[in-house]
Amino acid sequence: MKLATDVTHCDDLMKALVGFREYAAPVIQRWGGALAERLGAGSRLLVAGNGGSAAQAQHLTAELVGRYRDDRPPFSALALHADTSSTTAIANDYGVQEIFARQVAAHGRAGDLLMLLSTSGASANLRVAATEARRLGMTVWALTGPAPNPLEGAADAALCVDAATAATVQELHLVAVHMLCETFDLAVERRTAVERRRAAADRWTAVAGKDGV
């Protein structure tokens, strides 16, 4: 019986993954490029989630501050739920719905990005954080379960995973995180190459002008 259950779970994941490839790739391609541009210009990424989604969100920040595959410079990415002292203090003093919004107000700036992960898309504390981020001029992305859902409507852009169970949604969220990291790294590599060519051209122009060429 256990074997049958495990096979069913894998079948559900494989079925959801087939469709996921089609609708997720264009969204993640856009997000990866935008993330590389923003973080490369000095903005930061704030990320939050609850429960298992918190683990997924923190996995993303670890890949950006550390590295995904190849070595590259670190980039600013903060997992808001990881600050347990702030989170518990805010929950105690202001209520659970404010635990992320208050941190967004403290750390977020116009031009920064806020990414929110939720298998249901119904977490009130994430929706409040999205509202606060947009008030500050931040861009909000949501990685959720099936659409429509409240968090999708509160974000500037959303990737809504179409899967039958929360477990499968969460597994595909991890796939999305890895795809985003890969797309981000490729965009950073292209950006770095362009900057190097531009710097080389500037040096050649300076030398040519000095020598009167």
Side-chain angles (χ1 to χ4, degrees):
M1 182 63 68
K2 185 177 186 297
L3 178 61
T5 301
D6 289 346
V7 170
T8 299
H9 181 86
C10 290
D11 289 344
D12 290 343
L13 177 59
M14 291 175 64
K15 181 180 178 180
L17 184 59
V18 171
F20 178 83
R21 292 179 60 183
E22 300 301 321
Y23 62 78
V27 176
I28 292 175
Q29 188 74 27
R30 292 194 299 272
W31 286 7
L35 189 61
E37 182 177 351
R38 295 281 188 93
L39 299 193
S43 295
R44 68 176 64 181
L45 174 69
L46 307 182
V47 190
N50 295 293
S53 294
Q56 305 279 32
Q58 197 165 343
H59 183 74
L60 172 59
T61 60
E63 303 284 29
L64 294 174
V65 177
R67 69 175 184 178
Y68 177 56
R69 287 180 181 166
D70 299 327
D71 190 34
R72 53 148 172 75
F75 291 88
S76 181
L78 302 174
L80 300 181
H81 53 273
D83 186 348
T84 55
S85 294
S86 291
T87 299
T88 53
I90 294 167
N92 186 63
D93 294 341
Y94 298 96
V96 175
Q97 290 192 10
E98 296 295 326
I99 60 175
F100 299 133
R102 194 164 180 85
Q103 292 183 76
V104 167
H107 301 303
R109 302 291 183 269
D112 287 349
L113 291 156
L114 174 65
M115 188 168 180
L116 302 170
L117 287 76
S118 172
T119 56
S120 67
S123 301
N125 54 17
L126 299 181
R127 287 189 284 111
V128 174
T131 299
E132 178 62 18
R134 296 183 73 178
R135 184 188 70 82
L136 293 171
M138 299 173 63
T139 298
V140 180
W141 294 339
L143 188 56
T144 76
N149 62 72
L151 189 56
E152 175 198 16
D156 293 294
L159 175 55
C160 303
V161 174
D162 186 13
T165 67
T168 302
V169 169
Q170 201 161 75
E171 287 159 352
L172 291 178
H173 279 185
L174 181 57
V175 174
V177 165
H178 285 162
M179 289 173 65
L180 180 60
C181 290
E182 185 169 0
T183 305
F184 172 81
D185 279 5
L186 289 172
V188 168
E189 185 178 338
R190 288 194 297 269
R191 179 186 175 92
T192 301
V194 169
E195 290 174 349
R196 285 174 178 168
R197 288 196 295 270
R198 185 179 297 123
D202 290 343
R203 287 195 299 271
W204 185 89
T205 301
V207 170
K210 183 178 178 180
D211 294 342
V213 177

